Amino acid sequence: MAPFVKAFSVHILTATGAALALMAMLAAGRANWPMMFVWLLIAFMVDGIDGPLARKVDVRRHAPQWNGVLLDLIIDYLTYVIIPAYALVEAELIGHGWSLAAALLICVTGVIYFADTRMKTDDNSFSGFPGCWNMIILVLFSVDIGGWAAMFLIIGVALAQFFNLKFIHPVRTERWYMVSLPVMLAWGGFAVWDTWLSFEGPTIAKAGLVITSLYLMLAGIAQQLWPKK
């Protein structure tokens, strides 16, 4: 297969994220939250594999007329920010009015973060929370922590996008990779489990989702506190 065809095929794979975003939005418009998250989880998996494939076939060299980074950012903003924010409002997760305020905060801070040229660190981690609001909102659907606690959580995470706090990339951050990747896969398993049961899954599914989420949120900060010698 010609190098151009391989490279362009990876761009097409990335672009399917836009179709998955539309499917998620259609499900959200029907208040079918489990199906919405199924589509978002599929988009999340696509986002996890298209990067390594892009580097393997060298898309920058063989299909340079399309900016894969920009394409990825556009789709990530849809699937990581806009649709979860919409679900937050429509489901009124933290009460009438406050849900809209939280969603607006997510959308505005999210787009500023995605335009930040300093979002990546030298070890391929993220500087600041990487705008993965799909993960945060999924946990709020799964676990009822109360309206005020959810609001303070969203404010805290939104602010974390702009501080020099490190957040790991489970695939690209080499340090603790042998732990981070299995934890990411476990997070996906717990998420699918609880989502498939319309967020009425057993305690072990919810506990697993919370524990793996905490690891993914805090592992990078722990690495800052205990730098590699």
Side-chain angles (χ1 to χ4, degrees):
M1 187 181 295
F4 170 78
V5 175
K6 292 181 181 179
F8 185 69
S9 297
V10 174
H11 283 316
I12 292 296
L13 175 64
T14 302
T16 61
L20 294 168
L22 176 59
M23 297 303 295
M25 183 62 79
L26 291 173
R30 302 184 184 103
N32 188 345
W33 310 121
M35 199 66 231
M36 181 197 78
F37 279 112
V38 167
W39 290 117
L40 290 181
L41 286 168
I42 295 172
F44 192 64
M45 289 188 287
V46 171
D47 187 46
I49 63 174
D50 65 350
L53 287 174
R55 289 183 288 275
K56 182 176 181 179
V57 303
D58 199 354
V59 295
R60 290 185 179 181
R61 177 183 177 187
H62 298 298
Q65 58 269 59
W66 292 282
N67 189 322
V69 174
L70 180 59
L71 179 62
D72 193 58
L73 288 174
I74 292 169
I75 293 169
D76 285 353
Y77 185 68
L78 287 173
T79 57
Y80 288 4
V81 180
I82 290 294
I83 296 173
Y86 175 80
L88 173 63
V89 176
E90 288 300 301
E92 293 193 352
L93 282 184
I94 54 178
H96 183 68
W98 289 109
S99 293
L100 177 59
L104 292 172
L105 177 66
I106 288 171
C107 290
V108 173
T109 59
V111 75
I112 294 296
Y113 178 80
F114 273 89
D116 194 334
T117 58
R118 304 163 299 171
M119 69 166 62
K120 291 292 183 68
T121 64
D122 292 339
D123 68 345
N124 291 316
S125 296
F126 298 98
S127 179
F129 174 69
C132 294
W133 289 101
N134 51 342
M135 299 176 69
I136 302 294
I137 301 303
L138 190 151
V139 172
L140 292 180
F141 264 88
S142 177
V143 182
D144 183 6
I145 63 173
W148 283 109
M151 188 68 189
F152 283 122
L153 173 65
I154 289 171
I155 292 172
V157 174
L159 291 175
Q161 294 173 115
F162 304 106
F163 284 87
N164 185 27
L165 298 172
K166 179 179 169 183
F167 291 82
I168 62 167
H169 189 301
V171 177
R172 301 197 66 192
T173 303
E174 291 187 6
R175 190 180 180 194
W176 301 356
Y177 171 80
M178 296 303 291
V179 175
S180 300
L181 184 58
V183 168
M184 182 73 252
L185 294 174
W187 182 91
F190 289 125
V192 169
W193 188 1
D194 201 43
T195 299
W196 192 254
L197 296 175
S198 299
F199 308 109
E200 298 293 336
T203 301
I204 187 173
K206 296 180 183 297
L209 185 62
V210 171
I211 292 169
T212 52
S213 296
L214 287 173
Y215 174 87
L216 295 170
M217 288 289 290
L218 300 176
I221 297 173
Q223 290 179 6
Q224 285 180 295
L225 293 175
W226 292 282
K228 190 175 182 179
K229 295 181 180 180

